[in-house]
Amino acid sequence: MLILGMESSCDETSVAVIDGETRKILSNIVASQVDVHRLYGGVVPEIASRAHIETISKITYEALDSAGVTISDIGAIAVTANPGLIGALLVGVNFAKSLAFSRNIPLVAVNHVKAHAAAAYLADPTLEPPFLALIVSGGHTSIFEVTDHRTFNTIGSTRDDAAGEAFDKIGRVIGMPYPGGAALDKLAYEGDPTALKLPSPALLGDNLDFSFSGIKTAALNYINSEKMKGGELNTADIAASYTKAVVDALAKKCDIALSRTGYRRMVLAGGVAANSHLRAAIGKICDKNGADLTVPPISLCGDNAAMVAMAGYFEYVAECFSGTELNASAND
Ligand code: KG4
Ligand code: ZN
């Protein structure tokens, strides 16, 4: 059954067609607004909504065309309804609702964080729950027990900022264009990961939680004091030390989560799952715990509609349909 997926929760407008049963991607068009937001050093919600409106019809045609299908072939429409920027979400939700209503196609609402995890089903069509999932993105950092396709129990999460936001913040301060995550990833290879002493984002105690505000402040204080001394900033050392502290914290809590729960399967997904240091570190702790790791390819880590369609397929199978009263929500 073909699912048309739609994603507009932040700064990527994306429409995709997948085959739900075989988990095959027929098309996955992603129109990024990053160049526009870069001028402001971050996502401007009002601009994001307007850009989604301009793009969404065009890329819907493109997604159908490049899949070689028409709207009559579509069995269900899946749309990200939460969480995200409310104005941006409303564009996708309203568009999907109108299309579903006018063509009498079943509509399913998808949670964006669960959609990130669903990218793993596309990466490995044999993957089945239960597994542990570390979802790390610009807005989220959580460890879930995924007990079936639609049931996610949070066992750890950030108490403040998300890992992606923490990378972007330091990236910006050391002169990387928005979003800084990918650039910081590369630069970290050129620096000394032991150069800076930074507090760990892994919270102490018997929990699987994180806090990124402390490491952000410590890195900012270091950068400001170096600037005041008038010396040259060693941005590679900053990138390497910062990345190591963040990655070690995420890996440490996943290690505890795997050994505590006994799961032998792990999924790493979300925009920050593109980070090469994190991929390697989570790979290591999975080996140590005898667990299989599924990480989507980079193209499915960032926001895209194929993952939304995949999550939507499971909503369809569970007959969890939405009516024309469907609304977007900024929250989880
Ligand atoms: O999942 P995503 O596309 O959007 C949200 O749902 O938030 O994640 C975007 C985040 C940004 O913070 C970006 O800097 C980060 O993913 N990111 C990375 C890398 N590539 C993207 N962070 C670290 N290393 C990377 N290679
Ligand atoms: Zn995302």
Side-chain angles (χ1 to χ4, degrees):
M1 217 239 338
L2 299 186
I3 313 276
L4 183 70
M6 301 193 160
E7 159 63 36
S8 71
S9 67
C10 190
D11 59 347
E12 262 96 28
T13 324
S14 181
V15 182
V17 179
I18 70 152
D19 179 331
E21 280 92 0
T22 61
R23 304 180 182 178
K24 192 167 177 282
I25 301 173
L26 278 67
S27 65
N28 190 17
I29 312 292
V30 181
S32 176
Q33 308 169 5
V34 111
D35 291 344
V36 185
H37 298 293
R38 188 168 285 149
L39 304 172
Y40 305 92
V43 178
V44 183
E46 173 78 14
I47 294 176
S49 310
R50 288 167 187 270
H52 287 309
I53 286 223
E54 284 166 12
T55 318
I56 199 157
S57 334
K58 186 172 143 269
I59 64 164
T60 301
Y61 281 119
E62 243 178 277
L64 291 167
D65 279 355
S66 79
V69 300
T70 70
I71 191 73
S72 314
D73 300 315
I74 299 297
I77 296 178
V79 64
T80 304
N82 71 302
L85 302 171
I86 190 65
L89 286 165
L90 282 168
V91 175
V93 166
N94 207 29
F95 188 85
K97 257 165 69 164
S98 310
L99 189 56
F101 180 67
S102 62
R103 303 289 307 201
N104 205 18
I105 300 171
L107 177 69
V108 289
V110 166
N111 173 289
H112 183 79
V113 182
K114 289 184 179 178
H116 271 301
Y121 296 116
L122 295 165
D124 176 2
T126 66
L127 177 70
E128 287 298 328
F131 52 76
L132 281 187
L134 171 65
I135 308 298
V136 265
S137 71
H140 289 84
T141 304
S142 296
I143 304 174
F144 298 103
E145 261 182 317
V146 180
T147 51
D148 64 50
H149 293 130
R150 300 168 62 240
T151 309
F152 286 53
N153 304 320
T154 308
I155 57 169
S157 67
T158 180
R159 303 242 178 121
D160 41 51
D161 313 316
E165 201 232 303
F167 275 130
D168 293 343
K169 173 80 185 176
I170 295 310
R172 185 158 67 234
V173 176
I174 62 172
M176 306 276 162
Y178 170 83
L184 219 61
D185 183 350
K186 276 202 201 101
L187 185 61
Y189 285 101
E190 293 166 31
D192 173 5
T194 62
L196 274 71
K197 292 269 164 295
L198 294 167
S200 170
L203 284 183
L204 292 174
D206 187 27
N207 63 68
L208 297 169
D209 294 340
F210 308 95
S211 165
F212 293 92
S213 62
I215 189 173
K216 255 172 47 176
T217 307
L220 287 176
N221 287 345
Y222 170 82
I223 291 164
N224 288 336
S225 77
E226 287 302 298
K227 278 183 181 163
M228 270 174 358
K229 283 185 215 153
E232 182 105 334
L233 268 187
N234 189 328
T235 54
D237 279 355
I238 297 168
S241 304
Y242 195 80
T243 300
K244 183 171 170 19
V246 170
V247 166
D248 282 356
L250 294 169
K252 177 181 168 188
K253 294 291 186 179
C254 287
D255 188 7
I256 298 170
L258 278 172
S259 62
R260 192 179 286 173
T261 60
Y263 282 96
R264 289 290 164 263
R265 221 166 316 182
M266 170 112 212
V267 160
L268 168 64
V272 180
N275 188 279
S276 59
H277 310 271
L278 182 63
R279 291 165 93 93
I282 301 294
K284 260 192 210 150
I285 63 112
C286 283
D287 285 349
K288 183 184 146 202
N289 287 280
D292 292 328
L293 174 64
T294 305
V295 193
I298 309 274
S299 59
L300 294 177
C301 286
D303 291 347
N304 70 88
M307 68 185 197
V308 176
M310 188 70 250
Y313 172 71
F314 298 125
E315 296 299 315
Y316 178 88
V317 171
E319 298 183 12
C320 191
F321 301 113
S322 290
T324 44
E325 73 291 346
L326 175 66
N327 204 346
S329 161
N331 306 318
D332 294 352

